[in-house]
């Protein structure tokens, strides 16, 4: 099973590493980390990851994962990446995204007419590409699964693991990473957050994403 | 604020990347990723991360994070690493670990007499170094905070962010990564897991860790 992660400068490390920690343990998984050009990738938290493959080295995927970005860097400036995503999407069983990765999928056109989610601060922008924004942690429409912001990639990957390898297998993976979350505060989504914190963060994030679209 | 992550071959990527995504956004954070020798680090999921610093380049830390490992690779074979950890620990405000990272801290001697946690499958092994194993997701004793398996590092880092920068700041970080977890199954800890899955996984993990101690 070919599992392909798209890496790019400015990506959010946890968007990819959460699902990676789960999906790499699927039966017969062969994981490829792919970038416009193979080599070292600067994430938006200054952590550096390696992509072993360039786009031209990867022609297909059973599962494709597109992480998001909290920086002004955008893949949408690169037609080669969008064209590659369109091509890989025709070969996948599952095409997935985490956080603002759904905006990248949107820009390829594959979300047109479909339900999808994104980071809460950018959810409305899915309209730009004809998708139907859904306020949910994980949204499945056909073979496309989109996850909400950053940490939602873990929930998405476990749900996907269950589809691919069965619920018992997914439960084993979940127990393996001891995923019995206990956040110190119950403020992780807009409807639960302090309104002042929410508006401050929304302004920063919305202006960031408006500047690149 | 100097935040130092110990990286090493065989480490579990998510143990480090979960806390990294949170702690790197603390006010005035300067994050250093440090290994026995600077360069590329092979994690236990085949993902490659970069450590920009060697041990000799880092003399102190305000916050130290020691991730765990699901592989047979062990840092405890390297006296230089243990000595460096002992030295850095004398300079920290907070010394932390995720998953089996607490076994590495244990091997340095700094957990003797203290309460600590670890991945559920290795919790009992904390006795070896005179620590008091506590079955909890995050355990604080003095300036040492230990987290349970893999994903618990996210909860630990948010709790630590609150101590360092205040609850409102931590809430902003939590909302930023949309950490409102919704695991597809409620099986992420031993008391909730299917007994057959639990015993199968326990046997595999216990034998792995017995082979290296």
């Amino acid at each position: 099973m070919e599992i392909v992660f798209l890496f790019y400068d400015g990506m959010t490390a946890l968007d990819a590493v959460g699902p990676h920690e789960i999906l790499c343990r699927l039966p017969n998984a062969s994981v490829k980390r792919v970038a416009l050009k193979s080599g070292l990738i600067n994430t938006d938290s200054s952590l550096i990851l390696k992509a072993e493959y360039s786009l031209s080295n990867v022609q297909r995927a059973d599962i494709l994962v597109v992480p998001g970005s909290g920086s002004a860097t955008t893949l949408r400036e690169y037609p080669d990446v969008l064209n590659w995503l369109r091509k890989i999407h025709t070969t996948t069983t599952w095409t997935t995204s985490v956080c603002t990765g759904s905006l990248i999928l949107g820009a390829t056109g594959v979300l047109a007419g479909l339900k999808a989610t994104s980071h809460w601060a950018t959810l409305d922008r899915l309209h730009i590409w004809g998708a139907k924004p859904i306020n949910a942690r994980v949204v499945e429409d056909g073979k496309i699964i989109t996850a909400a912001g950053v940490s939602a990639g873990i929930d998405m990957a476990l749900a996907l693991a269950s589809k691919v390898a069965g619920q018992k297998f997914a439960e084993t993976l979940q127990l393996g990473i001891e995923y019995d979350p206990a956040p110190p505060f119950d403020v992780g989504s807009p409807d639960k957050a302090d309104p002042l914190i929410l508006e401050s963060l929304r302004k920063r994030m919305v202006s960031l994403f408006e500047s690149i679209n």
Side-chain angles (χ1 to χ4, degrees), chain A residues 24 31 52 77 92 113 151 211:
Chain A
C24 75
V31 182
E52 295 87 353
E77 296 161 12
T92 62
S151 61
S211 72

Side-chain angles (χ1 to χ4, degrees), chain A residues 73-144:
Chain A
T73 309
T74 173
L75 277 192
R76 280 162 277 159
E77 296 161 12
Y78 297 96
D80 286 353
V81 173
L82 298 186
N83 285 332
W84 178 84
L85 284 169
R86 288 182 192 105
K87 183 180 70 178
I88 298 298
H89 176 63
T90 66
T91 74
T92 62
T93 306
W94 298 103
T95 294
T96 75
S97 67
V98 180
C99 198
T100 61
S102 60
L103 304 182
I104 298 171
L105 283 185
T108 69
V110 304
L111 292 182
L114 300 187
K115 292 177 286 185
T117 192
S118 186
H119 189 284
W120 57 263
T122 55
L123 187 59
D124 284 349
R125 300 187 76 72
L126 286 168
H127 280 305
I128 298 172
W129 297 287
K132 301 171 192 163
I134 304 292
N135 180 17
R137 194 143 175 91
V138 177
V139 172
E140 181 181 344
D141 194 341
K143 71 173 189 176
I144 300 184

Side-chain angles (χ1 to χ4, degrees), chain A residues 169 181 192:
Chain A
F169 196 90
K192 297 176 177 177

Side-chain angles (χ1 to χ4, degrees), chain A residues 9-25:
Chain A
D9 285 332
M11 65 180 271
T12 300
L14 186 53
D15 287 15
V17 175
H20 191 282
E21 204 67 61
I22 294 159
L23 300 178
C24 75
R25 293 181 169 82

